Amino acid sequence: MKVTINDVAARAGVSIKTVSRVINNEPSVRPSTRERVMQAVQALNYRPNLAARNLAGTHSYSIALIYDNPNAYYVIDMQNGILEACRERGYELLIHPGSGRRENIHEELRKLIEQSRVAGLVLTPPFSETREVIDTLKSLDVEFVRIISSEGCGQGEENCIAIDDETAAFTITQHLLQLGHRQIAYLGGGAEHLSTLSRLAGYKKALQKAGLPFTEEQVIEGEYSFDSGVAGATALLHSVTPPTAIFAGNDEMAAGALFAARMLNIEVPQQLSIAGFEDSPFSRQTWPKLTTAHQPNEDIARRAAELLLERIQCRGGQEKEQLNGVKSDSNYRSFTPSLIVRESSGPVVEKAYNPQT
């Protein structure tokens, strides 16, 4: 027979209302009572009905992940990280894909919140960077956390998980420079992503520090996809002054650049070095494996969900010190992707391949 809340209350010797308060992490329960109830929950292997909890009161026990990213690995990592935090705190996850280029996306999210009664949202780029979306969520008085490039997180904002894309891109470009490369191209994602601009800024800064000029011809804007990497790299490698190294805005684009090099019989890294960004499975499934920047997306997502749940529960009256394992310091909310050197990058050669000859 299915264990009910009545069974838990009877075993713990408390009222059904007290069991509900413990399960919902409400603060107005004595520690000794909370412990007795939780012992009964574990002994009976009781599993609360989250749907019933959502319908029974004004508090929702579900949060939403909002994303627009063609990289399936990125989405899976985000989902897994958020689910881990949700399971620890008895919440459910609603996954909502959308298009950041859609003009009425903020109205779409308004309907989602009103119809699904989610307690909060985790926003990934470009939604986390879209002013209309932010203003709409504020007007609805709903909690949200933004996963966003550091440049987009204003001073004093406490609902951001910041990614230092610029520093990571600087480090990757500097790595290529240290290998002797002077003709380094950049393949960027869509301009609607702040990460594209931040990674481009890091690339420019590294060139400037090395005393090298920045030229627009060495930069191609595309999308964070394999096909975009193929098209961008093909154009670069057919230019009058082809690069000896390509830094791509993510690993999918870098894998596309590697494919383009293969189609032109260019050896990597002997004639062309290629680096990506994020350290997705793409970076380890290519040959040679890609030099990249490790971005722990699952950990980033988990922290974003923990921060969101902290804000939701604090709004409900719980003090921060009562929340299980949630940290609020600024270091906990900031990530700098780290350089991983693999076989796709190597020293520059005197006579690089040139399709023009």
Side-chain angles (χ1 to χ4, degrees):
M1 294 180 62
K2 184 177 180 180
V3 177
T4 68
I5 192 172
N6 303 66
D7 300 321
V8 176
R11 186 180 181 95
V14 298
S15 67
I16 295 174
K17 189 173 183 179
T18 298
V19 175
S20 178
R21 285 174 176 171
V22 171
I23 293 172
N24 293 337
N25 290 320
E26 293 183 16
S28 55
V29 180
R30 286 196 298 268
S32 58
T33 303
R34 184 182 300 276
E35 182 179 358
R36 194 161 70 250
V37 171
M38 290 309 299
Q39 287 176 348
V41 167
Q42 293 172 7
L44 296 172
N45 195 27
Y46 174 65
R47 294 291 181 268
N49 185 326
L50 294 178
R53 289 167 66 194
N54 280 331
L55 292 171
T58 58
H59 185 72
S60 171
Y61 291 90
S62 61
I63 62 174
L65 165 65
I66 313 299
Y67 73 90
D68 175 14
N69 192 309
N71 187 340
Y73 294 117
Y74 175 87
V75 176
I76 291 171
D77 282 346
M78 287 285 132
Q79 174 181 314
N80 288 341
I82 295 174
L83 278 173
E84 183 180 346
C86 285
R87 287 170 181 145
E88 291 175 356
R89 292 161 181 80
Y91 277 70
E92 289 292 315
L93 174 62
L94 172 66
I95 301 172
H96 185 82
S99 173
R101 297 181 179 180
R102 195 176 302 161
E103 291 184 1
N104 65 340
I105 185 62
H106 57 290
E107 290 301 324
E108 181 181 320
L109 294 183
R110 180 192 295 274
K111 291 180 181 179
L112 170 71
I113 293 166
E114 292 173 347
Q115 294 174 3
S116 65
R117 295 183 64 249
V118 292
L121 303 92
V122 174
L123 302 177
T124 62
F127 303 114
S128 58
E129 306 159 357
T130 305
R131 191 73 261 165
E132 291 85 353
V133 169
I134 304 306
D135 291 341
T136 297
L137 296 182
K138 287 182 177 179
S139 71
L140 293 172
D141 194 30
V142 63
E143 290 292 347
F144 61 93
V145 167
R146 300 193 290 159
I147 298 175
I148 191 169
S149 196
S150 296
E151 295 298 316
C153 190
Q155 188 174 7
E157 288 192 72
E158 295 186 351
N159 66 334
C160 292
I161 300 295
I163 315 298
D164 192 350
D165 292 291
E166 182 173 329
T167 296
F170 175 89
T171 302
I172 290 175
T173 309
Q174 193 172 55
H175 162 70
L176 296 172
L177 289 164
Q178 289 170 347
L179 291 171
H181 295 279
R182 293 299 178 265
Q183 295 291 331
I184 304 173
Y186 174 71
L187 287 179
E192 70 273 15
H193 291 274
L194 186 57
S195 61
T196 297
L197 304 179
S198 296
R199 293 169 193 179
L200 177 60
Y203 161 80
K204 287 181 178 180
K205 186 181 290 186
L207 294 181
Q208 183 181 24
K209 185 175 181 181
L212 296 175
F214 167 76
T215 58
E216 295 287 350
E217 292 76 15
Q218 293 291 333
V219 175
I220 289 186
E221 180 184 319
E223 297 179 349
Y224 287 124
S225 68
F226 179 87
D227 289 342
S228 182
V230 174
T234 300
L236 287 168
L237 294 170
H238 279 97
S239 62
V240 176
T241 308
T244 63
I246 294 176
F247 167 32
N250 75 346
D251 294 328
E252 277 194 82
M253 298 184 78
L258 180 59
F259 180 81
R262 287 277 173 80
M263 294 295 290
L264 293 170
N265 294 317
I266 299 175
E267 295 184 7
V268 177
Q270 291 84 351
Q271 294 175 299
L272 174 72
S273 286
I274 297 176
F277 200 105
E278 287 182 8
D279 192 27
S280 74
F282 270 101
S283 67
R284 301 180 294 278
Q285 292 169 351
T286 62
W287 182 256
K289 295 179 181 178
L290 291 169
T291 290
T292 187
H294 175 63
Q295 181 171 299
N297 288 323
E298 190 168 322
D299 196 20
I300 290 169
R302 177 179 57 80
R303 294 190 186 186
E306 287 175 344
L307 178 58
L308 176 62
L309 294 174
E310 173 189 326
R311 295 174 66 84
I312 291 169
Q313 292 176 328
C314 284
R315 173 181 283 204
Q318 284 186 269
E319 298 298 327
K320 289 186 178 181
E321 57 266 23
Q322 290 180 313
L323 299 173
N324 180 28
V326 177
K327 303 177 183 178
S328 298
D329 58 276
S330 59
N331 289 334
Y332 184 78
R333 298 197 301 268
S334 179
F335 288 84
T336 302
S338 55
L339 175 67
I340 295 181
V341 178
R342 296 197 181 106
E343 294 88 350
S344 70
S345 60
V348 68
V349 295
E350 292 185 6
K351 293 183 179 180
Y353 178 88
N354 189 343
Q356 299 297 319
T357 59

